[in-house]
PDB file of all heavy atoms in Angstrom:
ATOM      1  N   GLU R 446       0.057  -4.097  -0.209  1.00 88.00           N
ATOM      2  CA  GLU R 446       1.049  -4.984   0.431  1.00 88.00           C
ATOM      3  C   GLU R 446       2.087  -5.476  -0.550  1.00 88.00           C
ATOM      4  O   GLU R 446       3.284  -5.446  -0.257  1.00 88.00           O
ATOM      5  CB  GLU R 446       0.351  -6.164   1.153  1.00 88.00           C
ATOM      6  CG  GLU R 446      -0.546  -5.715   2.312  1.00 88.00           C
ATOM      7  CD  GLU R 446      -1.151  -6.866   3.058  1.00 88.00           C
ATOM      8  OE1 GLU R 446      -1.273  -7.954   2.430  1.00 88.00           O
ATOM      9  OE2 GLU R 446      -1.565  -6.709   4.185  1.00 88.00           O
ATOM     10  N   GLY R 447       1.631  -5.967  -1.740  1.00 90.00           N
ATOM     11  CA  GLY R 447       2.561  -6.404  -2.761  1.00 90.00           C
ATOM     12  C   GLY R 447       3.223  -7.756  -2.407  1.00 90.00           C
ATOM     13  O   GLY R 447       3.304  -8.160  -1.260  1.00 90.00           O
ATOM     14  N   SER R 448       3.716  -8.428  -3.432  1.00 93.00           N
ATOM     15  CA  SER R 448       4.461  -9.693  -3.316  1.00 93.00           C
ATOM     16  C   SER R 448       5.799  -9.483  -3.945  1.00 93.00           C
ATOM     17  O   SER R 448       5.960  -8.906  -5.034  1.00 93.00           O
ATOM     18  CB  SER R 448       3.698 -10.815  -3.995  1.00 93.00           C
ATOM     19  OG  SER R 448       2.445 -11.029  -3.411  1.00 93.00           O
ATOM     20  N   GLU R 449       6.856  -9.977  -3.242  1.00 92.00           N
ATOM     21  CA  GLU R 449       8.207  -9.727  -3.687  1.00 92.00           C
ATOM     22  C   GLU R 449       8.912 -10.995  -4.147  1.00 92.00           C
ATOM     23  O   GLU R 449       8.600 -12.081  -3.727  1.00 92.00           O
ATOM     24  CB  GLU R 449       9.025  -9.065  -2.544  1.00 92.00           C
ATOM     25  CG  GLU R 449       8.559  -7.728  -2.186  1.00 92.00           C
ATOM     26  CD  GLU R 449       9.424  -7.060  -1.122  1.00 92.00           C
ATOM     27  OE1 GLU R 449      10.288  -7.786  -0.531  1.00 92.00           O
ATOM     28  OE2 GLU R 449       9.279  -5.823  -0.894  1.00 92.00           O
ATOM     29  N   LEU R 450       9.818 -10.828  -5.108  1.00 92.00           N
ATOM     30  CA  LEU R 450      10.651 -11.900  -5.619  1.00 92.00           C
ATOM     31  C   LEU R 450      12.075 -11.388  -5.801  1.00 92.00           C
ATOM     32  O   LEU R 450      12.271 -10.336  -6.446  1.00 92.00           O
ATOM     33  CB  LEU R 450      10.120 -12.383  -6.985  1.00 92.00           C
ATOM     34  CG  LEU R 450      10.993 -13.400  -7.684  1.00 92.00           C
ATOM     35  CD1 LEU R 450      10.997 -14.740  -6.891  1.00 92.00           C
ATOM     36  CD2 LEU R 450      10.468 -13.669  -9.112  1.00 92.00           C
ATOM     37  N   GLU R 451      13.034 -12.026  -5.164  1.00 91.00           N
ATOM     38  CA  GLU R 451      14.420 -11.668  -5.281  1.00 91.00           C
ATOM     39  C   GLU R 451      15.163 -12.720  -6.117  1.00 91.00           C
ATOM     40  O   GLU R 451      15.042 -13.892  -5.878  1.00 91.00           O
ATOM     41  CB  GLU R 451      15.039 -11.561  -3.910  1.00 91.00           C
ATOM     42  CG  GLU R 451      16.478 -11.087  -3.830  1.00 91.00           C
ATOM     43  CD  GLU R 451      17.014 -10.938  -2.449  1.00 91.00           C
ATOM     44  OE1 GLU R 451      16.302 -10.359  -1.564  1.00 91.00           O
ATOM     45  OE2 GLU R 451      18.144 -11.362  -2.190  1.00 91.00           O
ATOM     46  N   PHE R 452      15.964 -12.237  -7.077  1.00 89.00           N
ATOM     47  CA  PHE R 452      16.690 -13.184  -7.955  1.00 89.00           C
ATOM     48  C   PHE R 452      17.886 -12.536  -8.561  1.00 89.00           C
ATOM     49  O   PHE R 452      18.038 -11.280  -8.574  1.00 89.00           O
ATOM     50  CB  PHE R 452      15.761 -13.673  -9.045  1.00 89.00           C
ATOM     51  CG  PHE R 452      15.354 -12.623 -10.053  1.00 89.00           C
ATOM     52  CD1 PHE R 452      16.073 -12.454 -11.218  1.00 89.00           C
ATOM     53  CD2 PHE R 452      14.280 -11.835  -9.837  1.00 89.00           C
ATOM     54  CE1 PHE R 452      15.710 -11.450 -12.115  1.00 89.00           C
ATOM     55  CE2 PHE R 452      13.874 -10.828 -10.721  1.00 89.00           C
ATOM     56  CZ  PHE R 452      14.667 -10.675 -11.853  1.00 89.00           C
ATOM     57  N   SER R 453      18.808 -13.375  -9.073  1.00 86.00           N
ATOM     58  CA  SER R 453      19.991 -12.877  -9.812  1.00 86.00           C
ATOM     59  C   SER R 453      19.953 -13.567 -11.212  1.00 86.00           C
ATOM     60  O   SER R 453      19.442 -14.639 -11.356  1.00 86.00           O
ATOM     61  CB  SER R 453      21.277 -13.216  -9.097  1.00 86.00           C
ATOM     62  OG  SER R 453      21.346 -12.590  -7.877  1.00 86.00           O
ATOM     63  N   LEU R 454      20.571 -12.903 -12.156  1.00 79.00           N
ATOM     64  CA  LEU R 454      20.663 -13.501 -13.464  1.00 79.00           C
ATOM     65  C   LEU R 454      21.741 -14.540 -13.522  1.00 79.00           C
ATOM     66  O   LEU R 454      22.791 -14.415 -12.889  1.00 79.00           O
ATOM     67  CB  LEU R 454      20.958 -12.447 -14.529  1.00 79.00           C
ATOM     68  CG  LEU R 454      19.876 -11.408 -14.830  1.00 79.00           C
ATOM     69  CD1 LEU R 454      20.290 -10.495 -15.991  1.00 79.00           C
ATOM     70  CD2 LEU R 454      18.527 -12.086 -15.169  1.00 79.00           C
ATOM     71  N   LEU R 455      21.493 -15.630 -14.261  1.00 64.00           N
ATOM     72  CA  LEU R 455      22.500 -16.668 -14.449  1.00 64.00           C
ATOM     73  C   LEU R 455      23.528 -16.187 -15.428  1.00 64.00           C
ATOM     74  O   LEU R 455      23.239 -15.644 -16.499  1.00 64.00           O
ATOM     75  CB  LEU R 455      21.828 -17.953 -14.996  1.00 64.00           C
ATOM     76  CG  LEU R 455      20.968 -18.738 -14.067  1.00 64.00           C
ATOM     77  CD1 LEU R 455      20.185 -19.789 -14.842  1.00 64.00           C
ATOM     78  CD2 LEU R 455      21.799 -19.397 -12.971  1.00 64.00           C
ATOM     79  N   SER R 456      24.811 -16.359 -15.071  1.00 63.00           N
ATOM     80  CA  SER R 456      25.870 -16.038 -16.001  1.00 63.00           C
ATOM     81  C   SER R 456      26.055 -17.206 -16.952  1.00 63.00           C
ATOM     82  O   SER R 456      25.813 -18.376 -16.656  1.00 63.00           O
ATOM     83  CB  SER R 456      27.208 -15.865 -15.259  1.00 63.00           C
ATOM     84  OG  SER R 456      27.151 -14.744 -14.407  1.00 63.00           O
TER      85      SER R 456
END
Side-chain angles (χ1 to χ4, degrees):
E446 294 182 338
S448 297
E449 295 185 348
L450 174 67
E451 184 177 315
F452 67 94
S453 297
L454 292 186
L455 289 168
S456 296

